[in-house]
Amino acid sequence: MPENSTVPKILIVGGGYAGFYTAWKLEKHLRKGEADVTMVDPLPYMTYQPFLPEVAAGSIEARHSVVAHRRHLKRTNVLTAKVTNINHAQKVATITPPVGEPYEFAYDQIVVTAGAVSRTFPIPGIADNAIGLKTIEEAVAIRDRLMSNFDKAASLPAGPERDRLLSVVVVGGGFAGIEVFAELRSLASSLVGKYPELTFDDTHFHLIEAMGRIMPEVSLPTSEWVLKDLAKRGANVHLDTQLTSAVDGNVELSTGEIIPTDLIVWTAGVMANPTVVRGGDLPVEERGRIQTRADLRVGTPEAFVEGAWAAGDVSAVPDLSGGGVGGFCVPNAQHAVRQAKLLAKNVVAVLRGEDPKEYFHKNLGAVAGLGLYNGVFQSGKIALKGFVAWVAHRGYHGLAMPTWERKFRVVWGWWNNLWLGRDLVNLETVQNPRYVFEEFAARPRPAADAPAPAVTAPAAQATASDKAADEKPAGEKTAAAKPAAKKPAAKKTAETASAK
């Protein structure tokens, strides 16, 4: 689009679930040449986060749970960079690319969908030893770490070090924590059969939850059923317990118990992306989210900020259905995708001089996978458990995965696993791909000592003679010092003999 174009410019900050869907639907609703859409995200793909527990368990190929921006956004300008400042008073955003200098981007409408990041607390050792579950890279790293630990433990005798390698600690008893906990327990059960040196009882799984119950999204009886199901699979759930330290891999609990472990997964809450929220002049509420109205415009019910929109985990959208927490929509994929679809329609409506509509969505329920062939589903008073709930879980998320191309890849992978089994390939060395090349690569020899400075011929001869003399034994030095006296003596003896 030319610099002097009068076509409205729409800037989407964030290419996650809400951002991708907003751009995708804008392409559908905008007429050709009606607006210029630009989406900025530091990653070139959207991650379908509900699939991360299954990626961590090896049930879904990592690449299949992400959607490439440039493949599916045909008429959107995709920038792989960060938005580090929003000056909405001037309608200018600062874009910082991975290479090169930051620059300013002028816009007419801004859509903030920067998502959320893991929310942690200043607990000693967490920042250095734990790993979150918000990105595809984290899910892959969790899977590979667990598999590598089985390889190491199989070569060790029974003892503290082997117990440490085979211990997993998950912090947080919400949906994400329970799902990854159950999926990793299922993966470990599959791995044990491949290692004759190890048994199921050698593995230790601990879930730490500060509240008195797990999964607040479902009813209490349903959450209690999940606890019993996990207990049958040898899992240890610590309720009303806080993690106080994780220094050097030793997890210390508020009960005084210490759990040595090599894998700590942190799922205890999320917070709005602070880089975007703090780096701008848009209004923010007390929990650090962008203040958003029910029509998804930034602002309060009394007044809105012209030209600014927000959706997804980064926003505080009122839940008009009455089922939200604190009156706002909970940060999940179900709300993010529906808000994004409406947001795209509302932006187009405003560009055409029409009024935007308010977001209203009643929660359809909650569904979670608890490992292969096991799950839980809750919708109102209806609760499904076990295999039926697992089928509902896969059916719902299989349909919710954006684009038919990605749906097919995910379902095809599930079908293959049904007959071929879970893929147990460990690719942890991908994180250090040059280790073999570096080990055997030829390197230049160290540079030789610099040559001595050149000297004149007589001086060189003298230096050489002195050096030779210094290197000879003491007797040889004396003989070498009197060569002229010996030669005449030899000549005289020869002449005497000739005369006789």
Side-chain angles (χ1 to χ4, degrees), residues 109-362:
Q109 303 281 334
I110 189 169
V111 176
V112 183
T113 54
V117 299
S118 296
R119 177 177 59 112
T120 59
F121 306 101
I123 300 172
I126 285 296
D128 300 319
N129 298 309
I131 184 170
L133 190 67
K134 291 294 292 179
T135 68
I136 193 67
E137 294 84 0
E138 289 174 326
V140 172
I142 291 169
R143 179 197 65 192
D144 290 342
R145 172 69 67 85
L146 183 60
M147 290 184 175
S148 292
N149 284 354
F150 265 76
D151 290 334
K152 296 173 185 177
S155 63
L156 294 174
E161 180 59 18
R162 193 170 81 171
D163 287 341
R164 185 183 70 85
L165 290 170
L166 296 179
S167 295
V168 176
V169 174
V170 176
V171 185
F175 254 64
I178 291 296
E179 283 194 285
V180 73
F181 184 73
E183 290 287 355
L184 291 178
R185 173 78 273 187
S186 177
L187 171 60
S189 300
S190 299
L191 289 173
V192 166
K194 311 299 180 184
Y195 294 85
E197 307 88 348
L198 304 176
T199 66
F200 181 84
D201 293 334
D202 291 328
T203 61
H204 314 284
F205 278 71
H206 298 268
L207 178 79
I208 316 301
E209 171 53 49
M211 297 176 61
R213 60 163 296 180
I214 62 171
M215 304 174 74
E217 299 89 346
V218 302
S219 66
L220 184 59
T222 301
S223 69
E224 291 175 345
W225 178 89
V226 174
L227 286 175
K228 293 177 181 178
D229 183 74
L230 292 174
K232 287 190 297 185
R233 289 185 275 167
N236 302 286
V237 179
H238 306 259
L239 299 178
D240 293 315
T241 305
Q242 296 180 348
L243 188 151
T244 59
S245 176
V247 177
D248 297 329
N250 291 315
V251 172
E252 297 184 21
L253 306 181
S254 56
T255 58
E257 184 178 356
I258 298 178
I259 307 171
T261 179
D262 193 54
L263 180 55
I264 305 170
V265 182
W266 182 274
T267 65
V270 296
M271 64 179 181
N273 190 324
T275 302
V276 174
V277 173
R278 298 171 187 168
D281 57 358
L282 295 176
V284 178
E285 48 94 63
E286 61 272 9
R287 294 191 61 185
R289 298 172 296 180
I290 295 177
Q291 281 188 339
T292 311
R293 293 156 46 97
D295 60 9
L296 304 178
R297 286 187 287 194
V298 174
T300 63
E302 294 75 26
F304 64 88
V305 179
E306 190 275 328
W309 309 78
D313 296 356
V314 78
S315 63
V317 179
D319 190 339
L320 301 182
S321 70
V325 177
F328 296 99
C329 297
V330 296
N332 61 22
Q334 188 177 142
H335 281 303
V337 64
R338 286 168 173 79
Q339 289 172 6
K341 291 179 179 179
L342 177 63
L343 194 154
K345 293 180 179 179
N346 282 352
V347 170
V348 173
V350 169
L351 292 179
R352 296 174 182 172
E354 302 170 3
D355 293 329
K357 296 181 179 180
E358 292 186 334
Y359 175 73
F360 180 91
H361 172 68
K362 189 172 182 179

Side-chain angles (χ1 to χ4, degrees), residues 95-111:
I95 296 178
T96 303
V99 179
E101 296 297 322
Y103 60 93
E104 292 187 341
F105 184 96
Y107 60 82
D108 298 291
Q109 303 281 334
I110 189 169
V111 176

